[in-house]
Amino acid sequence: MLKLLSARIVTIPVVFLGIALPSFGQTPAVPKASPLMVVHAGHYIDGTTAERKGAVTVTLQAGRIVSVQPGTVNMPGAQAIELGEATLMPGLIDVHKHMGAPRTGLNPFQGRLTISTPETAIGAAAMARKLLEEGFTTVRNMGTGQGIDLALKRDIERGWIPGPRIVVSLEPLSVTGGHSDWRNGLDSSWTEDRKAGHGVADGPLEFAEEVRRHRQQGAEVIKIMPSGGVLSIGDDPKVQTMTNEEIKAAIDTAHNLNLKVAAHAHGKAAIDNSVRLGVDSIEHGTYADAESFQLMREHGTYLVPTLLVADQVNEIARTHPDQLNPSAAKKALEVTPLMRGMLGNAYKAGVKIAFGTDTSTGANAHEFALLVSAGMTPADALLTSMRNAADLLNMTGSAGCVRQGCFADLIAVAGDPLQDVTTMEHVQFVMKGGVVYKRDGASVAQPPVTGEPGGSFDEE
């Protein structure tokens, strides 16, 4: 077990960079120095490589790593966190996440018609803490409706709730009747006539407009749906549903706005055309072949294989098909068994791979074991959630690393994940931004939220 020793905090002078302001006869307020912390561990993996090195001392201040020194270096007056012989690593990154509520066992129509948006948002907050305590300190959310992902991101940043850093996409962009058209399977009397505001577009101009609207409302990445899907109603995962002109309009508009684009794509045509047109990542990639992998290498496109959700959906299709959309169980039984073999072929072909689970249910870190079972080495599997994921998110030097200047996002496991990658499913210590959320395998209580109670003065 990992052990956190009693610590004490002292004020240590720090240098602040900025512009000196005139005092106008008053003594200017001196900013309080940020407390210094050190973490000692018997082993560490820095995330830029997967080499497991010996003892390390990581110094932290103001939510960032100040220094990384070999051995055990004492820092008088600093708060010390002692992790014994544990393996210290950077916080994990999941680049394909849906920050929703816990699974209810209801089928999608029951859930859509009986669970309100506020209920979903509160459930999403609970799942955000669960994900953080599993060791995931950064996630890229790949689609949550009603603005829940953006609200969750902002509330975490405000310190109102614990959770990972979130890169938001808002709603995925789909054609009418495509994989994420929320109206699929519903009688028209239950749906609105207009499609604006739900990520549904038709034609290049509408897709460009939707990308701009997403950026206006806070999206940091764009997700498009150029192929059919598994859990949607009636569409075919093998079929390309967006035209090349629509794909190009979405990608070009997003790139002009400095946004990356992720493409949900199962079928080969959608994969190959999206890669040729400049997409940054292919999500799922089920029917990719050798030609697809060559294109991805040439364009530097990442593959996000999402093996965990494939396993979970296959299990539901076999045991509880009533919990899926009509036609989804049949597609799941056909599609999901192919995904592990596809990943193995992509890995052998030298395609860049980033870690994504497409779910928040169960042990998310089980994805590592699935990657290894598909043919990846444990070292390369770990790097999908560290160096590779950070690169895909433009966060190299901030996330996925234990080096000077990186976020003070640290996790630790009791064993050696290079020998047994399943140790990643039992994270014992979690720190995000210099705040400890899990210690000795248990949740750490957080200070109460400060501030005045909310509400409207009109109620008085």
Side-chain angles (χ1 to χ4, degrees):
M1 294 294 291
L2 308 180
K3 185 169 181 61
L4 180 69
L5 300 184
S6 59
R8 57 195 180 96
I9 301 175
V10 298
T11 300
I12 298 173
V14 293
V15 176
F16 291 86
L17 300 179
I19 301 174
L21 300 178
S23 64
F24 299 107
Q26 297 180 351
T27 302
V30 178
K32 291 184 178 179
S34 176
L36 196 70
M37 303 173 67
V38 294
V39 178
H40 295 140
H43 309 274
Y44 80 108
I45 295 170
D46 73 8
T48 62
T49 73
E51 179 186 358
R52 185 173 183 254
K53 303 175 184 177
V56 67
T57 298
V58 182
T59 307
L60 316 168
Q61 194 166 40
R64 293 269 182 173
I65 295 175
V66 176
S67 67
V68 180
Q69 302 174 72
T72 302
V73 181
N74 293 321
M75 295 282 185
Q79 179 183 357
I81 299 176
E82 305 290 345
L83 299 179
E85 289 302 307
T87 301
L88 185 72
M89 292 173 282
L92 304 175
I93 305 171
D94 187 330
V95 303
H96 193 125
K97 185 60 62 185
H98 293 280
M99 303 298 291
R103 185 173 291 160
T104 60
L106 302 176
N107 70 48
F109 288 107
Q110 291 173 318
R112 190 182 303 177
L113 296 175
T114 62
I115 301 177
S116 68
T117 298
E119 289 172 310
T120 301
I122 294 170
M127 296 302 285
R129 173 146 197 167
K130 170 187 177 293
L131 190 60
L132 176 62
E133 292 186 3
E134 287 185 32
F136 292 89
T137 55
T138 302
V139 301
R140 183 180 68 166
N141 191 73
M142 286 280 90
T144 301
Q146 296 87 46
I148 290 173
D149 56 348
L150 186 59
L152 194 63
K153 170 189 175 71
R154 291 174 174 171
D155 284 356
I156 290 170
E157 291 175 346
R158 291 180 179 116
W160 291 357
I161 56 174
R165 307 173 194 278
I166 303 178
V167 177
V168 298
S169 69
L170 306 183
E171 308 96 343
L173 303 187
S174 168
V175 295
T176 296
H179 178 51
S180 61
D181 186 343
W182 66 284
R183 303 165 298 180
N184 290 350
L186 291 177
D187 184 275
S188 59
S189 63
W190 287 92
T191 65
E192 299 177 5
D193 292 332
R194 62 186 180 86
K195 58 195 175 188
H198 296 287
V200 179
D202 295 292
L205 292 179
E206 287 192 6
F207 271 95
E209 181 181 2
E210 278 295 306
V211 170
R212 294 186 182 108
R213 183 183 69 82
H214 274 53
R215 179 65 185 88
Q216 179 193 49
Q217 296 185 353
E220 299 166 296
V221 63
I222 298 297
K223 183 184 181 185
I224 60 174
M225 301 294 210
S227 89
V230 174
L231 296 183
S232 43
I233 299 174
D235 58 342
D236 186 343
K238 297 179 182 179
V239 171
Q240 179 175 319
T241 53
M242 292 173 63
T243 66
N244 286 353
E245 292 75 19
E246 290 170 332
I247 296 171
K248 177 176 171 56
I251 293 173
D252 287 353
T253 305
H255 286 175
N256 286 340
L257 296 171
N258 293 321
L259 300 176
K260 286 193 172 183
V261 182
H264 156 102
H266 287 282
K268 173 177 165 55
I271 293 167
D272 293 359
N273 287 327
S274 295
V275 172
R276 289 188 182 103
L277 293 168
V279 80
D280 299 286
S281 66
I282 294 292
E283 315 295 307
H284 316 305
T286 304
Y287 293 99
D289 61 10
E291 181 185 15
S292 309
F293 302 145
Q294 181 178 345
L295 285 169
M296 295 176 76
R297 287 198 313 270
E298 291 173 355
H299 290 264
T301 312
Y302 272 95
L303 171 67
V304 182
T306 64
L307 299 185
L308 180 60
V309 76
D311 265 24
Q312 292 178 347
V313 169
N314 187 274
E315 173 69 14
I316 294 172
R318 288 186 291 106
T319 59
H320 297 286
D322 55 298
Q323 295 181 10
L324 301 177
N325 276 317
S327 79
K330 181 177 182 296
K331 290 191 288 183
L333 294 174
E334 176 185 344
V335 172
T336 55
L338 304 176
M339 296 175 72
R340 200 175 303 190
M342 179 278 303
L343 170 61
N345 292 333
Y347 176 61
K348 292 174 186 175
V351 173
K352 295 192 297 185
I353 298 167
F355 184 103
T357 60
D358 198 16
T359 178
S360 289
T361 303
N364 286 266
H366 185 57
E367 180 81 16
F368 289 114
L370 297 175
L371 295 174
V372 171
S373 72
M376 296 189 75
T377 66
D380 285 343
L382 290 180
L383 290 177
T384 66
S385 187
M386 299 173 187
R387 180 192 66 197
N388 296 7
D391 179 50
L392 177 57
L393 300 189
N394 286 337
M395 299 180 74
T396 298
S398 289
C401 50
V402 182
R403 290 197 171 183
Q404 182 180 7
C406 297
F407 292 136
D409 296 353
L410 302 172
I411 66 170
V413 297
D416 179 0
L418 299 181
Q419 297 299 316
D420 179 6
V421 78
T422 65
T423 61
M424 300 301 296
E425 299 173 32
H426 308 285
V427 171
Q428 299 293 304
F429 172 83
V430 176
M431 169 189 283
K432 176 194 158 204
V435 178
V436 177
Y437 290 92
K438 189 175 186 180
R439 180 175 64 221
D440 295 337
S443 299
V444 173
Q446 299 301 311
V449 177
T450 59
E452 296 298 322
S456 171
F457 288 113
D458 294 338
E459 298 172 359
E460 295 297 325

